[in-house]
Amino acid sequence: AIQHTLAQAAAANAQAAGVEKLVGDFYASGMDEAAIEKAGLSPIQPILDRIAVLATPADVAAYLGEAAAQGRGALFRFGGAEDFRDSSQMIAYASQGGLSLPERAYYLEDRPDYQKARQALADHMAAVFVLAGETPEAAQTLAGTVVEFETRLARASTPRVELRDPAKQYQPATLEEADALTPNFSWGAFFDAVGVARPPKFSLTTRDFFKEANAMLADMPVSSWQAYLRYHEIDGAAPYLSNAFATESFNFYSKALRGQAELGPRWKRVMNALSGALGEPLGQLYVKAVFPPESKAKMQALVGNLSKALKQRIEGLEWMGPETKAKALEKWASFTPKIGYPDKWQDYSSLALSRQDYAGNVLKVMAFETRVNFDKIGKPVDRSEWHMSPQTVNAYYN
């Protein structure tokens, strides 16, 4: 309720600046149902026009780089994370993705619930293509193409349980080694496209998946790639487009797959989107309203006292040997408690949003956050960075 009130106030404040203006513009654009309905598919039309002119496998490969640079990685996941062998450094990771259903087994196993999910997916894809202007017959054909495409990716995907093994996620490769695995997809060109300096190594995980994607670039017609990419671009934007698209997205992802009964009111959906997209800017307004510096100082003192007590407990343990104690105290000394909100906020000054273009705002924020992540690759890990927003009631240990 407090966050909703803050978002409404930000949207109503004509003099709002900085993060308040960002929050207000985003919320106002999401609540402007008339503008969203009128816009239809136009917020993503330039993306669809770009897909429409792809003519060769090389064009498709280039498009994958362009889209990933904006945070729209349809085929596979890519981003910066800590090097598993050197936690002080950030490196790039590329791993499998590209599926609409939660896991590969949904495509490949004949359990009744998986069969039902596959049928629901085909129906959903056809409905999305109809909303995008196709005839029902053409939509069915396109949906069949995309399901077949995703099923092929699923066959080459590593089961989720196996990916819990860190060794499966950490597979360092040079660009030359990666290119040898995917001769139809240049990793050097991909790093150039996403604006990341070509690295000495990156982690290319789930290699069977990338081998198959490479084969598909050669043996799948470009029209199949276009159908797949077009569907994913529309489907990804659907919750932020007109009601017909948003409802279709809800009916498949929330109702058919997760059993959620009904679509929430618009303000709640916009608040969820706002928290996901601009969690920290909204968090700045939130802590100003409810968690002043004095409150943070009190909590830091309380946690500091807990930390001292823990140290005394370790030092006084009779059953722990001196070597183990030294290691335990070393670990104790490495803790960095984070209370309430960051000491240094993310800089959003380069991000500007519109009050009239909800889907466009979501795409802009996605591109902004993607750039922030990509810019960390090849740099030292910033241990002061927060991985959740101040208004999130939760705790984590990294």
Side-chain angles (χ1 to χ4, degrees):
I2 295 168
Q3 293 172 59
H4 186 210
T5 304
L6 290 168
Q8 286 176 307
N13 181 5
Q15 269 72 53
V19 292
E20 188 185 7
K21 180 167 166 54
L22 281 182
V23 168
D25 287 350
F26 189 99
Y27 183 77
S29 72
M31 292 306 293
D32 190 347
E33 200 164 347
I36 294 167
E37 289 303 313
K38 191 179 169 195
L41 204 52
S42 66
I44 61 164
Q45 197 57 51
I47 296 169
L48 303 180
D49 292 345
R50 176 77 187 90
I51 293 168
V53 298
L54 302 177
T56 65
D59 290 346
V60 173
Y63 178 83
L64 293 172
E66 286 169 31
Q70 299 296 313
R72 304 190 323 274
L75 183 67
F76 62 90
R77 296 186 184 94
F78 177 83
E82 294 83 358
D83 186 328
F84 284 14
R85 293 265 174 222
D86 175 9
S87 64
S88 71
Q89 287 297 312
M90 297 287 282
I91 63 165
Y93 286 79
S95 64
Q96 66 190 32
L99 304 181
S100 301
L101 291 169
E103 225 266 324
R104 73 188 290 276
Y106 278 74
Y107 294 85
L108 309 175
E109 291 179 18
D110 281 333
R111 277 175 34 175
D113 54 338
Y114 289 172
Q115 287 176 320
K116 198 173 161 191
R118 285 199 289 274
Q119 186 55 55
L121 174 63
D123 294 344
H124 167 65
M125 286 178 175
V128 167
F129 281 121
V130 167
L131 289 173
E134 297 289 347
T135 65
E137 298 73 34
Q140 289 285 353
T141 305
L142 287 164
T145 299
V146 181
V147 170
E148 181 195 339
F149 193 104
E150 291 195 7
T151 304
R152 198 168 155 184
L153 291 177
R155 279 197 200 100
S157 297
T158 303
R160 197 185 279 174
V161 174
E162 283 182 39
L163 286 176
R164 290 178 192 160
D165 175 3
K168 287 265 168 79
Q169 293 184 39
Y170 188 72
Q171 303 266 320
T174 64
L175 291 178
E176 292 72 27
E177 288 164 346
D179 282 351
L181 188 84
T182 62
N184 304 318
F185 185 84
S186 159
W187 286 96
F190 179 79
F191 274 90
D192 293 347
V194 297
V196 174
R198 296 188 178 199
K201 64 164 189 185
F202 72 106
S203 182
L204 183 64
T205 64
T206 57
R207 296 192 178 188
D208 288 346
F209 175 89
F210 285 102
K211 272 187 211 161
E212 184 66 359
N214 174 73
M216 289 166 75
L217 275 168
D219 66 33
M220 278 286 218
V222 171
S223 60
S224 296
W225 279 93
Q226 286 172 305
Y228 171 78
L229 294 168
R230 187 177 159 211
Y231 164 72
H232 275 278
E233 293 290 11
I234 300 168
D235 193 56
Y240 318 107
L241 296 174
S242 59
N243 275 318
F245 285 99
T247 304
E248 178 53 44
S249 180
F250 170 83
N251 285 344
F252 175 62
Y253 288 104
S254 299
K255 207 173 193 173
L257 288 186
R258 293 199 286 273
Q260 194 178 323
E262 57 185 42
L263 188 61
R266 175 166 287 279
W267 73 265
K268 272 196 178 169
R269 285 182 278 143
V270 175
M271 284 306 300
N272 284 339
L274 175 60
S275 293
L278 296 171
E280 208 173 278
L282 179 59
Q284 287 191 51
L285 305 183
Y286 182 76
V287 298
K288 203 170 163 188
V290 301
F291 196 68
E294 309 86 76
S295 301
K296 178 167 172 163
K298 280 180 189 167
M299 288 309 300
Q300 283 172 318
L302 185 149
V303 172
N305 289 335
L306 281 173
S307 178
K308 281 180 203 153
L310 176 63
K311 186 186 183 199
Q312 287 169 1
R313 290 280 289 274
I314 294 167
E315 288 169 339
L317 288 175
E318 290 173 14
W319 54 265
M320 196 182 269
E323 279 180 38
T324 312
K325 242 178 219 187
K327 283 283 181 198
L329 288 168
E330 194 184 314
K331 187 168 186 178
W332 169 86
S334 74
F335 283 174
T336 310
K338 295 177 179 178
I339 311 295
Y341 54 89
D343 293 326
K344 182 177 98 233
W345 297 101
Q346 166 78 43
D347 178 10
Y348 283 86
S349 59
S350 64
L351 179 63
L353 301 180
S354 155
R355 290 177 77 89
Q356 280 82 41
D357 185 6
Y358 185 38
N361 285 341
V362 172
L363 291 173
K364 278 183 190 164
V365 175
M366 204 155 63
F368 175 86
E369 293 295 352
T370 298
R371 187 73 261 146
V372 168
N373 175 264
F374 287 1
D375 284 347
K376 294 172 188 166
I377 295 169
K379 300 205 176 102
V381 170
D382 178 4
R383 295 191 182 279
S384 71
E385 187 191 2
W386 278 52
H387 294 307
M388 65 186 187
S389 64
Q391 65 274 31
T392 306
V393 182
N394 210 337
Y396 69 88
Y397 171 69
N398 186 338

